[in-house]
Amino acid sequence: MGIKKFLSWTGIFIIWLFFSSCSFPSAQHLFFKARKLYDQGAYLEAIRNWEMILSQSPKSKWADDALHWIGITYYVELDLPERAVDTFSRLVRNYPDSIYAPQDQALIAEILRARGEYARALVEYYRYIKLFPEHPRTPQVWYQLITCLFEIGEYQTMRTQANNFLKKHPNSPFADDCIFWIGESYFLQGKFDQAKQYFQSYLEKYPQGDFYLNSGINLARCYEEEGELGKAIEHYLQLQTRFPSNQVLNSRLEAVEKRYQKKYGRKYRPPSP
């Protein structure tokens, strides 16, 4: 190739680069332009600018930011949850190493669960645990999976997941809740012996736990269901010393005392110390 021809092609290339740079704003420029539009409430125009980043610069460091904000805009501002799910799914699929990927995967599951699409939500919870097994947020998402299983009555699977959770995260802030839900699932299935074990375990291990009162009431209810009304009354009375004004507790105690009196023809007398 002659020097003149080389210089000619070089000039053409430089001119092409110049006009290309003039024709297409940088990804960074588009991102912050979109953020300004978002702050002004021009949500669709903001999405259009973020989508331009994805079409023109899909490998830009701003691409995953753009996709995340598109999903947030659909979900939070435009109330289009299915589009948000599709957008977050694109991010997790196309940018699995993005800092947004764990958060957006969790959002997919939560959006579907809020819409009552439990089967799809469960798939996404399991996907999160598979994709991000060591992420700091994983115990929380795992716990959400457990409560979702409880919510739809999948008690055996829920107990399996909860027990696996307790083995791996025995000191997690969600460990006490898992023990409660296992006990509750057994109670709802009429398996009172197993339920009592978990409620009693909760009371002993977590005296300050959020479900302490519920565990105590349900333990007493197990005794009620088994016909051991005296033991039920004893447990209610113990709880009453700590929660004297709780209406649910007081109502249950009053009801079981009436049952006891009707059955035995006398009021319950606590055993002598």
Side-chain angles (χ1 to χ4, degrees):
M1 179 185 292
I3 186 69
K4 290 184 178 180
K5 192 172 183 180
F6 173 77
L7 291 174
S8 175
W9 279 108
T10 303
I12 292 172
F13 180 69
I14 292 172
I15 293 171
W16 178 82
L17 284 177
F18 173 78
F19 281 105
S20 294
S21 64
C22 294
S23 302
F24 301 108
S26 71
Q28 181 179 1
H29 172 79
L30 284 171
F31 179 81
F32 286 107
K33 178 183 176 182
R35 277 304 309 270
K36 185 175 181 180
L37 289 165
Y38 176 92
D39 292 338
Q40 294 170 348
Y43 302 122
L44 294 178
E45 188 64 18
I47 289 174
R48 189 183 72 81
N49 279 268
W50 280 321
E51 287 287 4
M52 286 175 63
I53 296 174
L54 296 168
S55 62
Q56 296 173 12
S57 308
K59 295 184 179 180
S60 161
K61 70 175 184 178
W62 299 97
D64 61 329
D65 296 83
L67 201 49
H68 171 74
W69 276 97
I70 292 170
I72 292 296
T73 307
Y74 279 136
Y75 181 44
V76 177
E77 307 297 348
L78 299 178
D79 193 24
L80 294 171
E82 194 60 46
R83 288 195 179 185
V85 166
D86 290 343
T87 304
F88 292 142
S89 296
R90 283 171 61 194
L91 187 146
V92 175
R93 181 174 60 253
N94 296 336
Y95 305 98
D97 296 325
S98 166
I99 60 170
Y100 299 111
Q103 173 185 341
D104 290 358
Q105 180 61 39
L107 276 172
I108 294 169
E110 287 302 295
I111 291 170
L112 294 172
R113 181 177 181 176
R115 299 180 69 190
E117 297 185 54
Y118 296 108
R120 291 179 66 193
L122 288 171
V123 169
E124 300 303 336
Y125 282 131
Y126 282 118
R127 192 192 312 278
Y128 181 104
I129 295 169
K130 180 179 180 180
L131 291 174
F132 312 107
E134 303 303 326
H135 192 273
R137 188 172 181 162
T138 299
Q140 178 182 352
V141 174
W142 196 351
Y143 175 71
Q144 290 168 339
L145 165 66
I146 290 165
T147 57
C148 187
L149 288 166
F150 179 89
E151 195 171 336
I152 63 174
E154 292 288 342
Y155 298 135
Q156 184 57 55
T157 305
M158 184 278 293
R159 289 193 288 263
T160 299
Q161 288 294 329
N163 281 313
N164 289 340
F165 180 95
L166 290 168
K167 290 176 184 176
K168 185 164 185 177
H169 304 288
N171 299 316
S172 165
F174 304 105
D176 55 335
D177 290 15
C178 286
I179 291 175
F180 173 80
W181 292 121
I182 294 172
E184 186 76 352
S185 71
Y186 278 127
F187 179 83
L188 293 174
Q189 290 183 312
K191 299 178 180 180
F192 301 119
D193 282 339
Q194 295 96 320
K196 285 189 296 184
Q197 293 175 21
Y198 281 92
F199 291 139
Q200 186 63 51
S201 175
Y202 188 101
L203 296 174
E204 293 172 358
K205 293 180 179 179
Y206 305 104
Q208 303 302 321
D210 293 338
F211 287 112
Y212 184 89
L213 177 59
N214 299 73
S215 294
I217 289 175
N218 287 352
L219 177 60
R221 290 179 66 192
C222 287
Y223 285 112
E224 282 191 66
E225 294 293 336
E226 293 177 329
E228 298 189 60
L229 303 182
K231 285 188 177 181
I233 293 172
E234 289 174 19
H235 282 285
Y236 284 133
L237 289 172
Q238 290 173 12
L239 287 171
Q240 199 177 48
T241 61
R242 181 170 168 181
F243 305 98
S245 302
N246 186 273
Q247 293 183 353
V248 174
L249 171 58
N250 292 335
S251 296
R252 293 214 64 89
L253 175 58
E254 182 180 353
V256 75
E257 284 178 330
K258 288 180 179 179
R259 285 181 60 192
Y260 185 94
Q261 186 169 4
K262 182 178 180 180
K263 183 175 181 179
Y264 296 105
R266 58 181 175 81
K267 290 184 179 180
Y268 174 77
R269 300 187 187 89
S272 301

